[in-house]
Amino acid sequence: MYRFEKPIYVTSPLLPSLENVEKRLRDIWSAHWLTNMGAQHKELENMLRVLLKVNQLSLFCNGTIALLAAGKALALSGEVLTTPFTFAATPHSLSWMGVTPVFCDIDPTTLNISPESIERAITPRTKGILAVHVFGTPCDVYSIEEIAKRHNLKVIYDGAHAFGLEVDGRGIGTFGDITMYSFHATKLFHTVEGGALACANPALKQLIDQLKNFAIKNEEEVFGVGINGKLNEVQAAIGLAVLDVMEYERKRRERISKIYREALSNIEGLDFINLPDNVTRKSLQYFPVLIRKGIARLDRNELHLALKDYNIAARKYFYPLCTAYDCYKQLPSAIPENIPNALKVSEESMTLPLYGTLTDDEAYNIADVIKYFLTK
Ligand code: T4K
């Protein structure tokens, strides 16, 4: 069995050519403009708005600060419904806003917050929903829209995994009041660290733009409590250079996903996450699998360890659940009876290495090692 010499990580950042980056750095040097919405920032914001098929877009220094600004822009308060099967940033952003996260269960097929569980959790204190398109599988956006309308709730989507995702031909960022994107180095499109908020109307975009710049209205007026969420020129330039190589990266990831799907099909206890039929463009950021407890030959933790021995650093995203964190485990919504599907999935999910510089042979070898342990 093939053992990799060096660790194969779950991802590897997409690196544009140094020549392209250097050319853009020269432009920044000659402009003498380093941050605060300069030329690179404007160019990137416009390009991404078109690419993501959203009406309005505002760039940020990272996705987490973007989430904070989204909550502030919508004046979230009280309680907000969210999922425990996500990265720490999702509930943490609510807590930093002074909002109480209320955890709901997930749908066992999409791994996203379930509309039924949202309905069950709504009380007079509920002011909004913070839903996550986990691993780039879209939430049930139409049901969530209907529930939110009926109960007068704000909807923020955490689209950290959903760059480029389209549903029924629409950019995923056109659903809900605001969608956050993360441009962290581990994402397909990135600006080293970075993020963005998408929304529908220019007035909300203006408010978001001001909030990310300390709530400065003009040289003599600060209208509220803003934050510094700006993306600088060097990072915007890197983003522009990454855009030039992104389509090739997407092709490579499509190919690797296909290799995994073919090589790992029909293994007892290994399930894929299938995208709903109305997905018209994939995000291709993660390759999650579910290793079914009591069905697969090894459980997820055993397989994860076994892969490590072969230098394959798959990740147990998202384990532990956010409801297990010390800061959330005392919440009434964190009790196991409230989140049975999320608990089960967090014991079974694993994301496999997915990035453009992974070769076909490496992908086949990874699949062979998994197959070996699950079928031997
Ligand atoms: N909401 C959701 C649902 C999210 O998943 C995230 C972030 C956010 C919100 C917040 O967005 P940001 O504020 O980050 O924009 C990583 C990322 O740091 C994080 O952005 C991401 N989600 C999360 C799912 O993954 P870690 O703690 O797993 O990262 P780390 O350092 O273990 O990196 C993962 C692997 O990537 C490493 O094993 C090796 C490889 N790697 C990483 C870096 C940074 C490299 O090869 N090169 C690198 O430069 O969180």
Side-chain angles (χ1 to χ4, degrees):
M1 185 64 46
Y2 187 87
R3 185 181 182 280
F4 289 93
E5 268 168 35
K6 284 199 255 158
I8 299 284
Y9 295 118
V10 71
T11 191
S12 178
L14 174 54
L15 295 177
S17 76
L18 277 177
E19 290 72 30
N20 198 353
V21 173
E22 191 188 323
K23 190 186 140 295
R24 291 196 170 271
L25 287 179
R26 286 187 191 285
D27 292 344
I28 295 171
W29 259 235
S30 52
H32 279 250
W33 196 276
L34 297 183
T35 184
N36 290 14
M37 288 68 80
Q40 307 288 325
H41 183 284
K42 282 192 192 112
E43 189 181 340
L44 182 64
E45 199 168 81
N46 281 331
M47 286 189 74
L48 290 179
R49 184 173 42 76
V50 175
L51 190 80
L52 295 169
K53 293 196 184 168
V54 294
N55 294 317
Q56 307 289 330
L57 195 78
S58 181
L59 303 182
F60 274 81
C61 57
N62 64 58
T64 307
I65 296 287
L67 277 178
L68 289 184
K72 190 84 176 169
L74 299 176
L76 284 186
S77 62
E79 294 180 353
V80 168
L81 310 182
T82 193
T83 170
F85 188 70
T86 182
F87 192 59
T90 313
H92 282 0
S93 69
L94 294 173
S95 299
W96 275 68
M97 286 170 215
V99 165
T100 305
V102 173
F103 293 104
C104 297
D105 205 7
I106 61 171
D107 178 297
T109 53
T110 64
L111 317 189
N112 293 325
I113 192 165
S114 81
E116 298 73 34
S117 164
I118 290 176
E119 287 267 22
R120 276 199 305 274
I122 292 172
T123 72
R125 293 182 300 280
T126 312
K127 297 291 182 274
I129 300 165
L130 173 53
V132 184
H133 303 297
V134 176
F135 303 140
T137 302
C139 292
D140 185 347
V141 285
Y142 298 111
S143 299
I144 291 176
E145 188 172 287
E146 189 275 316
I147 295 169
K149 262 204 190 121
R150 197 154 28 86
H151 293 275
N152 195 23
L153 303 176
K154 302 284 185 202
V155 178
I156 299 177
Y157 283 109
D158 176 334
H161 303 176
F163 186 94
L165 180 67
E166 291 178 18
V167 166
D168 292 323
R170 281 173 63 179
I172 196 69
T174 59
F175 294 93
D177 292 287
I178 298 180
T179 295
M180 176 278 268
Y181 296 95
S182 165
F183 305 153
H184 184 263
T186 55
K187 302 297 186 303
L188 193 158
F189 169 77
H190 73 90
T191 55
V192 182
E193 291 267 3
L197 293 181
C199 64
N201 72 72
L204 185 53
K205 147 109 172 133
Q206 189 186 31
L207 175 62
I208 288 168
D209 281 347
Q210 290 172 338
L211 285 172
K212 80 173 177 194
N213 189 27
F214 314 99
I216 292 173
K217 196 168 176 188
N218 55 49
E219 281 189 28
E220 295 181 7
E221 283 175 279
V222 173
F223 70 87
V225 184
I227 202 162
N228 184 354
K230 291 166 284 148
L231 185 77
N232 68 51
E233 287 292 276
V234 174
Q235 286 175 263
I238 290 182
L240 285 162
V242 168
L243 277 184
D244 289 344
V245 286
M246 207 182 63
E247 272 317 301
Y248 180 70
E249 174 76 11
R250 284 181 55 86
K251 284 206 179 82
R252 284 295 311 145
R253 287 179 181 222
E254 276 272 31
R255 167 86 187 136
I256 291 156
S257 306
K258 193 162 172 269
I259 290 174
Y260 284 151
R261 276 193 172 260
E262 285 172 6
L264 297 174
S265 61
N266 302 320
I267 294 183
E268 200 175 20
L270 185 151
D271 288 341
F272 302 118
I273 309 298
N274 295 315
L275 291 170
D277 290 342
N278 64 353
V279 168
T280 42
R281 191 172 188 266
K282 300 174 194 167
S283 77
L284 296 166
Q285 304 227 50
Y286 293 91
F287 194 95
V289 289
L290 296 171
I291 308 300
R292 299 303 192 183
K293 219 177 183 153
I295 302 174
R297 277 202 74 260
L298 299 185
D299 70 22
R300 189 275 317 271
N301 290 347
E302 290 165 341
L303 181 63
H304 180 254
L305 272 182
L307 294 181
K308 262 201 179 148
D309 281 344
Y310 284 78
N311 250 335
I312 301 166
R315 289 294 286 264
K316 296 193 270 184
Y317 292 139
F318 286 105
Y319 175 88
L321 286 181
C322 298
T323 39
Y325 302 171
D326 279 348
C327 49
Y328 301 126
K329 67 182 183 200
Q330 80 294 348
L331 290 174
S333 63
I335 56 165
E337 298 73 34
N338 189 44
I339 46 161
N341 294 334
L343 279 169
K344 182 170 186 298
V345 165
S346 80
E347 296 285 341
E348 297 184 334
S349 68
M350 191 165 82
T351 50
L352 303 185
L354 181 66
Y355 51 90
T357 49
L358 192 74
T359 65
D360 286 8
D361 282 350
E362 286 171 330
Y364 281 118
N365 285 332
I366 292 167
D368 278 350
V369 178
I370 294 172
K371 219 157 71 191
Y372 170 77
F373 281 110
L374 292 185
T375 58
K376 76 172 171 175

